[in-house]
Amino acid sequence: MSCDSNRFVITKGYDNTFEFTIKANGSTLPMEIDVSDSFTAELVLLEDSSVALSKSLTIVDALSGRVQLVITEAESNGLSTEKGTKVDRYYVKPMYKLVIECNTLN
């Protein structure tokens, strides 16, 4: 699964792979990633701000600033879900927010 929109949806029961382009503050251009740079993704529960999942991102393309987050089937099955009412057509309610922490030379 690739994340090509501003919606971040994790599908339970499957391996989920998301790629992100890291950009410098105030810029629209991708940032070149150094070998010593590190990136951590945290899924934070909206209800109480507790961290539900913390993972290191892997560098896919250093020159283009691309990093990858893989959430395994077992990890996705452990996440909570909630749906809206029938009146609201059973939409999937947001339960988490994704926070990416970047430690870079730039």
Side-chain angles (χ1 to χ4, degrees), residues 33-89:
I33 297 173
D34 189 78
V35 179
S36 64
D37 294 348
S38 65
F39 304 91
T40 305
E42 291 183 344
L43 278 178
V44 179
L45 192 60
L46 293 174
E47 184 177 276
D48 61 2
S49 297
S50 62
V51 176
L53 180 65
S54 181
K55 295 195 74 163
S56 293
L57 293 135
T58 55
I59 299 169
V60 176
D61 185 356
L63 291 176
S64 298
R66 305 283 297 170
V67 293
Q68 185 178 67
L69 169 64
V70 177
I71 299 175
T72 64
E73 178 181 351
E75 291 167 336
S76 69
N77 284 333
L79 299 174
S80 303
T81 59
E82 193 173 321
K83 291 189 178 186
T85 61
K86 181 179 180 180
V87 172
D88 294 329
R89 301 180 190 229

